[in-house]
Amino acid sequence: MTEQKSPALKRSIGLWSAVAINIGAIVGGGIFVVTGIVAGYAGPAFIISMIVAGLIAFITAMNLAKLTAWRPVEGGVYEYGRQLVRPYVGFLGGWMWLVANTFTGAAVALGFAYYLSAAIPGIAVNVVAAVMCLVFMGLNLIGARESASINNVLVGVKLLVIVFFVIFGSVYVNPANFVPFVPFSSGVLYAIFFIFFAYGGFARVTVIAEEIKDAHRNVPRALLLSLGISMLIYVCVGLVAVGLVGAEGLAGSVSPLSTAMDITGVAGASQVIAIGGLVATASVLLTNIFGVSRMAYSMARRNDLPSVLARLHGRRLTPYYAIIGTGLLMAGLVLFVDLTRVVAVSTFAVVFTYCIVNISAYKLGNGSNWRHRVLALLGLATCIMLLGFVLFASPDAWVIGVVFLFAGGVYYLLTKRWRRQKSFSQRIRYTSDSVQVEV
């Protein structure tokens, strides 16, 4: 009699689909939504903040690429922290990753609704954002390959719109909008923290590693390729946006790229950008629910979250309970939060998880090439620096982030204690039964 195997995740995503998933996760909420917040802090010099944040992200991405080449596994930072540091550290990394990306999903859903409100004034922004979370929850339930195919189309459309924005908008750039350009200011430092939100999704492909073909090679490649492409896009778009309307014009808008394109006075141009904003935020939301559900699945199969989240659909091989839970949580969140606070809390949580990535990379490289250890320490130092910026740029984000971190730690200790007591009770019951049989 053959033993029936339980369903497992299927490797159905190739290199370029993996690159598209990561670009889908990175390019969207950041450039189409957070640009206005960042411009309000740094003024025209927020381009400097974009470049520095991108370089910080690239250092951590190189360390993460080393980890994924070593062992590509569903769950990414959670698994690396668990295996290389301590199970408790790995849990906190996974927990804060869930917090970060749940808030990111809420932010991009709100961004989608704001861009839609530019075309349809008067709509209920929070309600529209909640509905979009539920719609993309449904798309994720269909299957990984199908979700990746939809994402490929969305990424292609938004890249075309971005190319249009850069080429068409550059004709109308006014150099006077770059004055005053003050690269050394506290605002530029705070802006680095907020714009890091725009790069924060670069680890998405590592969380779905068990669904990518030839993962040992393709996951690190997809990680670094997508981040490099996204950084180039951000700098080009940022330069044109400031040149069109100036930092003050961007700072006062919840749909900043549409606002920038309005200055051209060309009928239909800003509508094209609004469509791009809708598509861009939609693709981020799609990949965000994808990633959060896979992290929850990875943690649940090790019993660090309720085991029901690790159940796979028998035919579609998707963690359907994890997907449904993710979609409902995001839909509830967007009904009660504002955009700036969501971005700050998300960035705090994602930077914390990247601290654990760099610690894990240091542990992996311990005793090997000294350059690997130096790179890991540099990544950790830059992430700690970003956490320091949070304290000054958004103190309430620190408070909320620490509350979530504390809640995760308490949950882990309580569930560990409960499992230990349950195991002890089972051993007592087994011993009692054995004694009765002997009698």
Side-chain angles (χ1 to χ4, degrees), residues 61-184:
M62 290 174 68
N63 288 317
L64 189 53
K66 189 169 58 174
L67 289 166
T68 55
W70 166 66
R71 184 168 296 172
V73 62
E74 206 88 352
V77 58
Y78 162 69
E79 287 290 345
Y80 301 134
R82 201 176 193 281
Q83 295 177 35
L84 293 168
V85 189
R86 293 183 65 182
Y88 183 56
V89 172
F91 173 84
L92 290 179
W95 176 269
M96 293 304 283
W97 197 94
L98 289 173
V99 170
N101 285 274
T102 300
F103 273 80
T104 297
V108 296
L110 287 168
F112 179 95
Y114 281 127
Y115 271 93
L116 188 61
S117 68
I120 311 173
I123 63 171
V125 170
N126 295 77
V127 174
V128 170
V131 170
M132 289 310 300
C133 290
L134 298 179
V135 168
F136 284 100
M137 175 189 77
L139 289 176
N140 269 278
L141 287 169
I142 296 172
R145 186 174 63 182
E146 291 80 4
S147 296
S149 298
I150 294 169
N151 181 69
N152 289 347
V153 174
L154 294 176
V155 169
V157 171
K158 76 177 172 183
L159 290 181
L160 287 174
V161 171
I162 286 171
V163 169
F164 168 77
F165 177 85
V166 172
I167 294 175
F168 184 78
S170 61
V171 177
Y172 296 87
V173 164
N174 180 3
N177 287 326
F178 291 97
V179 179
F181 190 86
V182 185
F184 304 105

Side-chain angles (χ1 to χ4, degrees), residues 4 12 32 55 89 129 153 202 260 302 378 436:
Q4 187 174 359
S12 57
F32 280 90
L55 292 174
V89 172
V153 174
F202 69 79
R302 287 190 177 273
L378 182 60
Q436 290 177 12

Side-chain angles (χ1 to χ4, degrees), residues 80-413:
Y80 301 134
R82 201 176 193 281
Q83 295 177 35
L84 293 168
V85 189
R86 293 183 65 182
Y88 183 56
V89 172
F91 173 84
L92 290 179
W95 176 269
M96 293 304 283
W97 197 94
L98 289 173
V99 170
N101 285 274
T102 300
F103 273 80
T104 297
V108 296
L110 287 168
F112 179 95
Y114 281 127
Y115 271 93
L116 188 61
S117 68
I120 311 173
I123 63 171
V125 170
N126 295 77
V127 174
V128 170
V131 170
M132 289 310 300
C133 290
L134 298 179
V135 168
F136 284 100
M137 175 189 77
L139 289 176
N140 269 278
L141 287 169
I142 296 172
R145 186 174 63 182
E146 291 80 4
S147 296
S149 298
I150 294 169
N151 181 69
N152 289 347
V153 174
L154 294 176
V155 169
V157 171
K158 76 177 172 183
L159 290 181
L160 287 174
V161 171
I162 286 171
V163 169
F164 168 77
F165 177 85
V166 172
I167 294 175
F168 184 78
S170 61
V171 177
Y172 296 87
V173 164
N174 180 3
N177 287 326
F178 291 97
V179 179
F181 190 86
V182 185
F184 304 105
S185 68
S186 59
V188 170
L189 295 178
Y190 298 156
I192 292 172
F193 160 71
F194 279 101
I195 203 64
F196 193 83
F197 169 85
Y199 292 103
F202 69 79
R204 186 68 43 78
V205 71
T206 69
V207 178
I208 60 170
E210 291 175 31
E211 296 166 86
I212 295 175
K213 300 171 184 176
D214 193 11
H216 283 281
R217 296 178 62 194
N218 286 340
V219 174
R221 287 178 177 180
L223 176 66
L224 297 177
L225 274 172
S226 59
L227 184 55
I229 293 168
S230 300
M231 188 174 174
L232 178 62
I233 289 170
Y234 280 3
V235 172
C236 291
V237 170
L239 286 169
V240 172
V242 172
L244 283 171
V245 73
E248 289 186 7
L250 294 173
S253 175
V254 291
S255 51
L257 298 194
S258 288
T259 301
M261 191 55 75
D262 282 338
I263 205 71
T264 66
V266 177
S270 60
Q271 282 75 17
V272 171
I273 302 305
I275 291 171
L278 292 173
V279 173
T281 50
S283 69
V284 175
L285 184 57
L286 177 67
T287 60
N288 198 267
I289 294 174
F290 192 3
V292 172
S293 63
R294 268 47 176 194
M295 177 64 82
Y297 163 82
S298 179
M299 296 176 73
R301 68 182 178 180
R302 287 190 177 273
N303 294 317
D304 279 341
L305 288 179
S307 58
V308 67
L309 298 176
R311 292 184 187 174
L312 296 179
H313 191 278
R315 184 164 57 89
R316 300 195 180 277
L317 300 179
T318 54
Y320 57 109
Y321 281 116
I323 292 171
I324 292 169
T326 300
L328 292 177
L329 187 60
M330 287 183 186
L333 187 61
V334 296
L335 294 174
F336 305 104
V337 294
D338 66 88
L339 184 61
T340 302
R341 181 166 295 175
V342 164
V343 169
V345 174
S346 173
T347 308
F348 173 90
V350 80
V351 171
F352 178 87
T353 65
Y354 289 151
C355 286
I356 293 177
V357 165
N358 289 302
I359 293 170
S360 301
Y362 180 84
K363 297 285 285 186
L364 180 65
N366 197 9
S368 64
N369 193 317
W370 65 270
R371 294 185 193 87
H372 294 165
R373 298 197 299 277
V374 169
L375 188 66
L377 290 174
L378 182 60
L380 179 60
T382 53
C383 286
I384 291 173
M385 178 188 70
L386 285 178
L387 288 176
F389 291 165
V390 186
L391 191 59
F392 298 99
S394 183
D396 59 337
W398 243 94
V399 174
I400 296 170
V402 170
V403 167
F404 273 111
L405 185 60
F406 179 77
V410 170
Y411 172 84
Y412 179 85
L413 293 175

